[in-house]
Amino acid sequence: MPMKTPPFWIRFVGLLSLSVVAALTHAAGAEGSERTRDYTLIVSGFDWGPAANKVVLPLGASASEAHASQFQVTVKRSSSLSDLAPERRAGLRNVVMGYVSDSEGNRSESGQYFTLVLSVGPDDALASPMEYIAHRNHWIDYQLTVMDRTTERVWDRETRRIRPVVDAFNLDGVYEHDNGQRLTYAYFEPPLHSEKSHPLIIWLHGGGEGGTDPSIPLMANLASNYATPGIQLYFEGAYVLVPQTPTFWMQAQDGEYTRGDREDIQHEALMGLIRQFVMTHAQVDVNRIYVGGCSNGGYMSLKLVLEHPDFFAAAFPVALGYHAEFLSDAQIERIQSVPMWLVHSADDETLSVHETALPLYKRLLAAGAKSVHFSLYERVVDIRGFFGGDDYWYNGHFSWIYCHANHCRFDYDGSPVKIEGRPVSIMEWLAAQWR
């Protein structure tokens, strides 16, 4: 996959250094042997996954001004699951800037904390506290050491971790099905008001996010975005449910992958989880339940619609894992009335669009589907413009980047998707669907 060299300013942010004048020197002297080693790490979600993009340092004294100086940040990464490649184990982190802040890392005119902003990027392994090991994403041991070379003060003990947006989710959900299967899940509740119901967005993770820690499907890609204010606004507040399987959604009875040619072992327990969640959250609007997912989760989102077409108000499968050749004409007819928006990339080498989403789309249209859309991208690019824009190409399988960012606006023929003559994004469209 061709990669372009990042812009000059990104490659040389490591030349910058920072300090808090006077106040930091005073703090170091005042604390003497009692110097605080603690720091707060901020791990944010990005299109490509999580990255440690800020570190908050307690100063021990009030400061009101920040200037360039000699901060050095190094990292050590390790995992009990695997030996990491040498270039992924340790090294310098590039510092972009710094500012006086509160304990949460929010800029303030004066305060007793200083926040360093660290350079991150999709190809910067040292920035990530997550590693893909044995076909699955895992949190790893991640330790920063921050030193102010002007005072020799060191911070090397993480005592708190902030994960913006993700911290708004409840991560303790556990469901046990009557067949013995156990699924974990995360969920977000919007601000609730009496007598008002809220739609439910269900997101199903890809094959690399299985396990028993629901924070992984929220952060291995940017699935947490469905709880951000920009997307929540379209729904006037929506529940977000993110189930997690301990293995993978496309698992057949023999432990291998199904692509729709044989039964999976997951969908019954998953539907049980969803029904229980709806039953225990009385303000879920049962006429506005939406299901989507990527890759493995794309397969399962379609599977649930096939099994329960009257339950879901709409579906949004991304990088679909279900092979259309295994869909019968009767199944197509069964789901043709369910609104659906498919998303895929033409250069996806993991799941060919010609075997999955494209024939499904065409067969639904031929069956008379009135509300089916398909955003087919040529490739997956840097939509933020930080790493080369259209010239920076992600893996073609990562088309969920477009969905999480609410980027999808066009149909298969290139025309904008419209509601009552007005162009809409995929989340605007989803919010308008009712059962």
Side-chain angles (χ1 to χ4, degrees):
M1 180 174 67
M3 294 293 181
K4 298 295 184 179
T5 303
F8 178 91
W9 70 270
I10 290 179
R11 288 186 285 123
F12 288 92
V13 289
L15 297 178
L16 298 176
S17 58
L18 307 158
S19 74
V20 181
V21 293
L24 187 52
T25 304
H26 170 75
E31 292 181 47
S33 60
E34 299 298 322
R35 293 177 181 177
T36 301
R37 297 165 48 197
D38 301 348
Y39 64 83
T40 295
L41 188 66
I42 298 180
V43 177
S44 299
F46 296 89
D47 288 334
W48 63 89
N53 63 318
K54 294 181 182 180
V55 56
V56 184
L57 311 174
L59 301 179
S62 182
S64 60
E65 193 174 13
H67 292 285
S69 186
Q70 298 299 317
F71 276 93
Q72 177 177 284
V73 181
T74 58
V75 63
K76 291 183 179 179
R77 304 170 77 247
S78 63
S79 173
S80 61
L81 300 172
S82 176
D83 288 331
L84 306 186
E87 67 274 11
R88 305 177 75 86
R89 291 179 201 158
L92 286 170
R93 292 293 312 275
N94 291 334
V95 178
V96 177
M97 61 171 290
Y99 53 86
V100 177
S101 71
D102 61 17
S103 61
E104 307 292 308
N106 301 307
R107 185 187 289 271
S108 58
E109 291 187 6
S110 63
Q112 296 194 20
Y113 296 86
F114 188 59
T115 294
L116 297 176
V117 179
L118 308 177
S119 175
V120 301
D123 302 312
D124 186 355
L126 296 181
S128 179
M130 186 177 285
E131 187 79 5
Y132 192 71
I133 301 170
H135 308 294
R136 188 177 293 180
N137 285 292
H138 299 272
W139 294 112
I140 60 173
D141 294 326
Y142 191 86
Q143 182 182 7
L144 292 183
T145 298
V146 183
M147 182 177 70
D148 178 13
R149 289 173 293 192
T150 62
T151 64
E152 297 187 353
R153 183 175 177 184
V154 170
W155 298 260
D156 61 359
R157 185 170 57 199
E158 179 187 338
T159 54
R160 185 185 177 203
R161 183 170 293 193
I162 298 174
R163 297 180 293 192
V165 184
V166 172
D167 288 341
F169 280 77
N170 183 307
L171 303 176
D172 299 327
V174 176
Y175 171 76
E176 294 192 18
H177 197 55
D178 54 18
N179 65 3
Q181 284 183 277
R182 188 174 187 270
L183 303 176
T184 48
Y185 62 94
Y187 66 94
F188 169 83
E189 288 185 317
L192 300 177
H193 306 282
S194 61
E195 300 181 6
K196 181 178 181 180
S197 60
H198 297 268
L200 169 62
I201 303 169
I202 302 165
W203 177 256
L204 304 175
H205 62 75
E209 288 76 63
T212 57
D213 181 350
S215 70
I216 292 176
L218 286 173
M219 295 201 76
N221 48 66
L222 207 51
S224 59
N225 245 19
Y226 298 112
T228 56
I231 289 179
Q232 286 284 308
L233 185 63
Y234 295 123
F235 301 88
E236 296 183 347
Y239 288 91
V240 181
L241 175 63
V242 183
Q244 183 185 34
T245 169
T247 56
F248 52 98
W249 297 122
M250 296 170 69
Q251 184 181 0
Q253 189 66 47
D254 61 2
E256 299 299 319
Y257 274 83
T258 174
R259 286 166 172 70
D261 53 323
R262 51 201 172 131
E263 194 65 273
D264 66 76
I265 65 170
Q266 305 281 8
H267 73 271
E268 290 186 5
L270 176 58
M271 195 64 198
L273 185 162
I274 293 169
R275 290 187 185 280
Q276 183 189 77
F277 185 85
V278 173
M279 287 177 55
T280 55
H281 293 80
Q283 289 182 252
V284 169
D285 187 342
V286 297
N287 294 309
R288 301 180 70 195
I289 299 176
Y290 314 115
V291 62
C294 62
S295 190
N296 253 251
Y299 160 90
M300 186 55 76
S301 61
L302 180 60
K303 177 69 174 184
L304 292 182
V305 172
L306 288 166
E307 295 290 325
H308 310 278
D310 296 329
F311 186 86
F312 299 99
F316 55 113
V318 182
L320 179 64
Y322 207 117
H323 282 220
E325 65 177 300
F326 302 120
L327 291 167
S328 68
D329 290 341
Q331 287 177 306
I332 293 293
E333 183 66 29
R334 180 175 168 82
I335 66 172
Q336 60 86 19
S337 62
V338 180
M340 189 175 302
W341 190 322
L342 298 153
V343 181
H344 215 105
S345 180
D347 66 340
D348 188 336
E349 295 182 359
T350 302
L351 291 165
S352 169
V353 68
H354 300 289
E355 297 175 343
T356 56
L358 185 55
L360 170 61
Y361 172 71
K362 291 181 176 180
R363 289 176 67 185
L364 284 169
L365 287 180
K370 303 300 183 185
S371 184
V372 58
H373 305 288
F374 185 17
S375 292
L376 178 60
Y377 291 84
E378 182 180 357
R379 57 182 59 90
V380 184
V381 302
D382 168 30
I383 57 177
R384 313 293 178 180
F386 292 143
F387 307 104
D390 290 346
D391 294 325
Y392 184 93
W393 300 356
Y394 287 99
N395 185 310
H397 190 45
F398 295 178
S399 51
W400 50 80
I401 285 176
Y402 293 119
C403 188
H404 294 336
N406 195 29
H407 185 277
C408 312
R409 292 179 175 272
F410 59 88
D411 218 328
Y412 182 64
D413 62 359
S415 64
V417 175
K418 296 181 179 180
I419 293 179
E420 298 180 349
R422 178 176 60 88
V424 294
S425 66
I426 188 170
M427 290 296 115
E428 290 177 278
W429 173 86
L430 196 67
Q433 306 308 309
W434 293 71
R435 182 168 64 86

